Structures are given as structure tokens and as C-alpha cells.
């Protein structure tokens, strides 16, 4: 598992994140406080406090570096 803090404090950033993650197989989670949601779910993301950075857990280590490269503008 790879963990990275990301900023998704706007609708555009959320759409970009979900679009990128949907190009990859595997499980991706976003964690904010005690809440954990599927990072490929826009509705799930809106249940989080996105005013602060959240943690992205990537469970497919084979694609983790590619995902992080595509999300470079979101990484804290």
C-alpha cells in the first residue's frame, strides 16, 4: 500500500482525481479523520471534509508511481 496526502478542495480537483483513478484497476481509498471512502466515487468523496488535505491509499503498488505522477498537482 502507498499513502499520499492530496488536496481535493474543489469540484474540478475531485473530477480530475476520480477520472485519473478510474483509468487504473485496484482499490483506492480516501481518508479524512475517521471516514474512509472509495476514491473512485464522487458521491463518497462529498461525504468527506475536503476543506483540508486527505490521505489517498493506493492498494495497487504496480500502478502507484504512475497514479502519483498524474496527480502531481494535487499532492501536498
Amino acid at each position: 500500500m502507498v499513502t499520499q496526502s492530496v488536496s481535493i478542495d474543489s469540484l474540478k480537483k475531485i473530477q480530475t482525481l476520480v477520472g485519473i483513478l478510474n483509468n487504473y484497476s485496484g482499490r483506492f481509498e480516501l481518508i479524512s479523520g475517521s471516514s474512509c471512502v472509495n476514491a473512485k466515487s464522487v458521491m463518497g468523496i462529498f461525504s468527506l471534509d475536503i476543506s483540508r488535505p486527505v490521505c489517498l491509499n493506493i492498494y495497487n503498488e504496480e500502478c502507484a508511481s504512475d497514479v502519483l505522477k498524474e496527480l502531481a498537482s494535487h499532492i501536498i
Side-chain angles (χ1 to χ4, degrees):
M1 176 178 74
V2 175
T3 300
Q4 180 66 56
S5 291
V6 294
S7 173
I8 51 169
D9 57 358
S10 70
L11 178 58
K12 183 173 175 127
K13 286 183 178 182
I14 292 169
Q15 290 172 327
T16 302
L17 173 82
V18 171
I20 290 169
L21 296 182
N22 278 317
N23 291 325
Y24 295 94
S25 62
R27 192 171 98 202
F28 301 89
E29 293 176 338
L30 287 173
I31 300 171
S32 176
S34 62
S35 300
C36 178
V37 299
N38 179 349
K40 293 181 177 183
S41 168
V42 173
M43 293 301 290
I45 294 170
F46 278 116
S47 71
L48 299 175
D49 175 8
I50 60 170
S51 65
R52 294 181 286 167
V54 296
C55 288
L56 171 65
N57 289 339
I58 303 170
Y59 291 92
N60 181 348
E61 292 185 24
E62 294 174 7
C63 72
S65 63
D66 293 334
V67 170
L68 294 176
K69 284 178 190 174
E70 288 195 58
L71 291 174
S73 65
H74 292 62
I75 293 175
I76 303 295

